[in-house]
Amino acid sequence: MNIASFLLPKVEVSYARDDMTLRQGLERLKRSGFMAIPVIDREDRYVGVISEGDFLWNILDRNRNLSDITMKRLECMTVRDILQGGKVKPVCIDTAMEMLIEQAKNQNFVPVIDDRSVFIGIVTRSDIIRYFAEGCKRNSQDRVLG
């Protein structure tokens, strides 16, 4: 099975750029409706994933007094400043299905890159589960009919 058949291409994925301000990154995350989104650089290379928790804990760590948090202050830092690289490892488009499943066990989506580390999309855990659930259903029906 080729993971390309599961790929949700970059043009259909919400992502942030690492040079966005925290405010822009938060707005992008909010519009996405997800709890985490991939982060890429200006050359479209994958650099990590940013989550609601990353924003929350970093904003709180840098603003001991909650009344100090303003939109203006959120424009002084970038997504790159709070990004914790390496938490969510990407896979290459030619990665074996077993490795993809292993990655998906621990995260809701798996970022997919090409051989130049350029972000090309994601594979969601729900798409993988759906594929195998449909396969199980087909196998069950075949046994009943066979």
Side-chain angles (χ1 to χ4, degrees):
M1 169 62 52
N2 185 336
I3 69 169
S5 59
F6 293 102
L7 185 71
L8 185 61
K10 180 175 126 184
V11 297
E12 298 178 29
V13 174
S14 292
Y15 59 87
R17 297 245 181 226
D18 66 346
D19 60 353
M20 287 178 156
T21 66
L22 285 191
R23 180 180 178 173
Q24 291 169 325
L26 273 168
E27 288 170 352
R28 178 70 54 96
L29 183 63
K30 181 180 177 185
R31 277 195 311 272
S32 78
F34 297 107
M35 293 177 60
I37 56 175
V39 178
I40 61 176
D41 66 14
R42 281 287 160 199
E43 286 78 38
D44 291 339
R45 291 182 306 242
Y46 172 79
V47 293
V49 169
I50 195 87
S51 70
E52 290 175 339
D54 294 328
F55 283 107
L56 175 64
W57 295 116
N58 280 283
I59 290 168
L60 291 176
D61 281 347
R62 288 175 170 79
N63 298 279
R64 296 284 180 222
N65 186 351
L66 293 181
S67 63
D68 290 342
I69 300 173
T70 65
M71 284 298 141
K72 186 101 174 133
R73 290 194 71 179
L74 295 181
E75 291 175 354
C76 297
M77 292 177 57
T78 65
V79 168
R80 182 184 314 113
D81 295 329
I82 67 167
L83 189 63
Q84 297 177 10
K87 282 176 37 178
V88 178
K89 302 279 187 219
V91 298
C92 290
I93 191 67
D94 59 356
T95 296
M97 190 63 170
E98 294 78 22
M99 179 63 154
L100 179 68
I101 292 169
E102 192 63 33
Q103 291 284 107
K105 285 186 343 187
N106 301 315
Q107 55 208 44
N108 290 330
F109 65 88
V110 179
V112 181
I113 58 174
D114 67 11
D115 57 351
R116 298 172 297 137
S117 296
V118 171
F119 176 71
I120 58 175
I122 63 171
V123 175
T124 65
R125 182 168 48 198
S126 61
D127 283 343
I128 295 169
I129 292 169
R130 188 176 304 109
Y131 170 80
F132 284 106
E134 288 170 1
C136 288
K137 190 175 179 180
R138 282 191 300 275
N139 288 341
S140 295
Q141 291 172 344
D142 289 347
R143 278 188 291 232
V144 169
L145 296 175

